[in-house]
Amino acid sequence: MEKIFSFDVRALDRARASRDARFDGKFFIAVTSTGIYCRPVCKVRDAKRSNIRYYPTAAAAAAAGFRPCLRCRPEAAPGTPAWLGTLEVVRRGLRLIEEGMLDDRSVEDMAERLGIGARHLHRLFVQHLGASPIAVAQTRRLHFAKRLLDETRLPITSIAMAAGFGSIRRFNDVFRMTYGRPPREIRRRLTSEAPGTGMDEVVLRLAYRPPYDWSHLQRFLAARALRGIETADGERYARTVRTPDGGWAIVQLRPIAGEDALEFRVSCADASALLHLSSVARRVFDQAADPETIVSALQTDALLRPLVKRRPGLRIPGVWDPFECAVRAIIGQQVSFLAGITLVARLVERTGEPITTPVQGLTHLFPRASDVVAANLRGLGLTGGRIAALKELANALVDGTLDFSASADEVVGQLTRIRGIGPWTAQYVALRALGEPDAFLSSDLVLRRIASGGSSQQTLTASALEKRAEAWRPWRAYATIHLWAAAVDQSEARSKAMLTSRARAVRSR
């Protein structure tokens, strides 16, 4: 392809020569003389330029007949920011694939879900990603299987199941065709350095493009941690999650010292849930983001320039389940921050499923929509309007009139048709639960104050902020997180100044 994500061939040549980690996962390099494709950071000796081909995704390189490099491991690259510059229907298709739709359903089913024909969907994927939907899904499964072979001690049969293959024979055939050797030979290369966890626990590395502001993301999640559901300290975040098979798991994440990756630890889960959980974790911790592109766009704005300079690696803190995100947003409306968390915790205690876990403090699963429909929510401290909104939200999800796998605009429209849910709540769900990079909460009071320079007398109106934020597209969600972080910094600075003033007053007495 002559252009990949706005890079022309000369730019790709320079990026390949630099081996800069910031380009990792943005494109892949194939060599015709070896039949192998690599990441831009691969340390192998450079090939002749006439033998080099570039591809926008690993799936495109695989579809062209190239095998993954066993040295740089393309499956371990940060997620390709494939939503950049693509049509909304392609972005939705990628999200459905990440959610496992093609693991047990057909391309025709996915096309129908997207409202277009299967042939047209195929053409769009090839045009924008260089590979068909089936090729993208199969590459995703194979890459995940390769990571499990390299990084865990799971039996090969369990790995085949975890990667979504219907049989061990099918897995072996596809793996051999792709890697040129059977899975057992790859497993022999596993060193004693691999995590020696038990069969009930799997540890994987989730790579990202630096810089990555873990401290901000961890503080954001820790401040909102729900008793019984989540725990967070300076080093690790842990929580209970439901799995697609009706079970549950404990997930834990922490940064890996000296690596551009997070450690992702899963326990109490069936192997078939691992691929789904790792995909959700990548979204929650925003690991496919391209900080360089986002910072380059936002730093042209005078208001945002010092903020992105201070935190160039800031990410969108995600939420594990869109329904949970919507429930928390509804309950948190028009109450204080701490009061909102307390009310949600009461809801969890009454309607959530109690479980016994090996992690202290994790005792419940967040309630399902059906649990909220059936529950008596009186006596929790919720107003009648909040209870009605929660019931209508849960009913909409149960009866299918609310579909969180639809496009962000469609989800926002479906949510705002529910009484008690306004644009702020709907955009909040789009931002945190769907990871929509251009979601924007124009009515948010904190944003309006910060955007006006912090003056309460000159706070921008929602319409004025909407107009001001046009220059931030398509990264208004990241601008939102930067402005919220700036508001917290200002609040902490005022508190520190007040404490200092009081201490001086005491000393002067």
Side-chain angles (χ1 to χ4, degrees), residues 102-119:
L102 291 184
D103 292 348
D104 54 8
R105 300 178 69 179
S106 67
V107 174
E108 287 73 17
D109 292 333
M110 189 172 90
E112 183 179 358
R113 182 79 167 271
L114 296 172
I116 62 175
R119 293 178 63 183

Side-chain angles (χ1 to χ4, degrees), residues 21-22 24-26 78-81 207-212 287-291 315:
R22 291 174 296 178
D24 194 12
K26 292 186 182 181
T80 301
Y208 55 76
R209 285 177 200 83
Y212 189 94
Q287 294 199 283
D290 180 7
R315 297 298 207 272

